[in-house]
Amino acid sequence: MMRKRLLAMLLVLVLSFCQAAVVFASEVPQQKAGLETEEESGGELSVLEIGDYLRQGQTEEIVEKLEMPIVSSTQFFYSSAAHAKDGLRVEWYDDGAARQISVLCEDNKTVSIDGIRCGMDKEQVRRILKAAGYLPPQLTGGGETGASYEEYCDSRPDFFFVLDLYYDADGILEGFYWNNYSQGDILREPLSDVTRSDWFCGAVTYVYNNWLMTGLGDFVFGPGEPLARAQFAVIIHRMENSPQTEYFSAFPDVEDEQWYTEAILWANKNKIVTGYANGRFGPADLITREQMAVMMYRYAKTKGYDTQARAELSGYNDVSLVSAFAKEAMEWCVAEGIISGKDYGTRLDPQANAARAECAAIIARFVKKYSETEIPEKLDYEKIYGPLVDMCANSYGEYAKYNTYFLYDINHDGVKELLLQEGTCEADYLYYIYTIEKGRSICLGYTGGGWTMFYKDESGGKEDYILRLSAHMGYERIEKVWIDSFEVKYQVLSESETEGEYYSNPYPLEAHYVTDKTGLR
């Protein structure tokens, strides 16, 4: 089965060969390259860690240490060199600018990559990769994902790699494939049930990529599904990097060695959860919006964040439904924009069960507000956004030439957003808005309609929003567009028929056709 998948991948590799490019990374925590001795049943086993060697392009070091002979046939591309031994194959090609590398390991326990090796179970592998800074597994274009196969793919300003993992029926790693060059489309959504048109797309992608919410199954998030109290405790626990907590009897319905035990006990120890009046916690009970607000409020206090802000809740028509124990927390969450009202801001709906998408939005807003994101001095927008522009240019046939894009830092946080038009004719399209998080593009949502132009605000770009003009055949609509955490927001400022000139101001954003990527440089 694994060989069939690899053969399917070869075609993609060959087609993308001319576009291949490689850069080596130093920002991800790495296992130190070299030989290590580990205890195995039956004696000691020498394991060579090859991750750092691969990122440094030191393939000769690997084949020398493992005494791998040269083989005449190449399996992946037009290699300059190919070596194989005991189920491990290493190939590389020097194109004059960089070294392109492919590594295939099948049932060989003597090599590891960033700490993982054959024989480990899936949960152990995921823990190691998470600690090493990997993104979670991504949904692949071929659709061959699930219990037996995972793909880790990361594109950063100075680093690209693909790591494919193959498991047996019992979830034990039986092989891996690694390369460091582009091979086809970089997908825009990592999950099968979350699309770019969903209001929660950006938030869900963020919590997924940061291992805070891992989904209900293989690449299924379940945005509309409810969330249990135990699950939310686990999410907050993950926000603290899952600190270990010894078991103690805090609640009669929280037993030892359950998947949620450590998280609930940690949260109780830190006064984030206190349980019900009857002394129980209710791990399987569905969490309500006000309970979620209380937990976030208490968590913020344990972190030492300023929790003094308060919002007046009397404007919500269901304020009477907010429980006394949750009133202060709800006032704070609303004041800080962590929880927003439903039905155009008229209801808090405090007793309603929170859906997973709502949870993702709350967590993403909280993290965005209180985390200090380090922005690289220079982002390579062409490398990060370029594949998205290329896909748009190649997706709409003869109408692709009408699609345009804009690049602008909408909320002045040091990262320029990509406003990418996608449509099937001159007047049928939307502008999807992308930003960059940890070197990878994230779709925040969309805005637009027919015949659109974007402008800075009328002060010339001092405000954290842009203006969108939609104008055609004597009708114009002007909107204010901004980004709230990981969501695209807009407000209609005016819409009317006009016999004169359409709206404009002296500060238009520069438009570029998708067939021209110079605007990303």
Side-chain angles (χ1 to χ4, degrees), residues 400-429:
K401 61 184 178 182
Y402 296 113
N403 289 331
T404 59
Y405 67 90
F406 300 82
L407 197 66
Y408 183 68
D409 184 358
I410 298 175
N411 54 354
H412 300 90
D413 64 355
V415 176
K416 293 180 181 180
E417 277 71 44
L418 172 70
L419 293 86
L420 180 60
Q421 173 188 344
E422 298 187 33
T424 57
C425 71
E426 294 173 283
D428 175 24
Y429 53 73

Side-chain angles (χ1 to χ4, degrees), residues 68-140:
M68 301 177 65
I70 295 177
V71 292
S72 57
S73 62
T74 59
Q75 188 166 347
F76 301 113
F77 52 84
Y78 300 107
S79 306
S80 299
H83 296 253
K85 180 182 179 181
D86 299 332
L88 180 68
R89 173 179 284 268
V90 179
E91 298 185 14
W92 65 90
Y93 173 79
D94 294 313
D95 65 358
R99 173 165 291 188
Q100 302 164 26
I101 305 170
S102 285
V103 175
L104 173 65
C105 178
E106 296 179 289
D107 198 25
N108 186 324
K109 297 182 179 180
T110 66
V111 293
S112 65
I113 180 165
D114 294 330
I116 67 167
R117 59 190 176 92
C118 294
M120 291 182 171
D121 66 67
K122 184 181 292 188
E123 289 306 312
Q124 185 181 8
V125 168
R126 286 191 169 190
R127 284 196 301 270
I128 293 172
L129 294 183
K130 176 184 175 182
Y134 279 65
L135 291 177
Q138 305 294 303
L139 183 64
T140 63

Side-chain angles (χ1 to χ4, degrees), residues 392-520:
C392 182
N394 296 322
S395 297
Y396 298 103
E398 63 178 300
Y399 294 105
K401 61 184 178 182
Y402 296 113
N403 289 331
T404 59
Y405 67 90
F406 300 82
L407 197 66
Y408 183 68
D409 184 358
I410 298 175
N411 54 354
H412 300 90
D413 64 355
V415 176
K416 293 180 181 180
E417 277 71 44
L418 172 70
L419 293 86
L420 180 60
Q421 173 188 344
E422 298 187 33
T424 57
C425 71
E426 294 173 283
D428 175 24
Y429 53 73
L430 294 173
Y431 277 91
Y432 289 94
I433 301 181
Y434 296 84
T435 192
I436 297 171
E437 183 70 32
K438 292 189 175 180
R440 187 181 180 90
S441 62
I442 291 181
C443 184
L444 303 178
Y446 65 90
T447 186
W451 308 99
T452 288
M453 182 64 192
F454 292 98
Y455 296 86
K456 299 178 184 178
D457 69 275
E458 293 180 341
S459 68
K462 295 180 181 178
E463 303 296 333
D464 288 349
Y465 65 86
I466 56 176
L467 298 174
R468 184 183 78 85
L469 169 68
S470 178
H472 185 51
M473 298 181 69
Y475 174 86
E476 72 172 20
R477 176 186 175 111
I478 304 171
E479 293 177 353
K480 173 182 174 182
V481 180
W482 71 98
I483 296 172
D484 182 4
S485 296
F486 292 91
E487 299 174 45
V488 175
K489 303 281 190 177
Y490 71 91
Q491 175 187 359
V492 178
L493 300 180
S494 69
E495 52 184 331
S496 62
E497 293 183 1
T498 177
E499 295 181 359
E501 295 183 356
Y502 294 117
Y503 170 87
S504 67
N505 73 36
Y507 311 107
L509 301 188
E510 184 178 4
H512 297 269
Y513 287 109
V514 293
T515 52
D516 173 20
K517 291 193 291 185
T518 58
L520 299 176

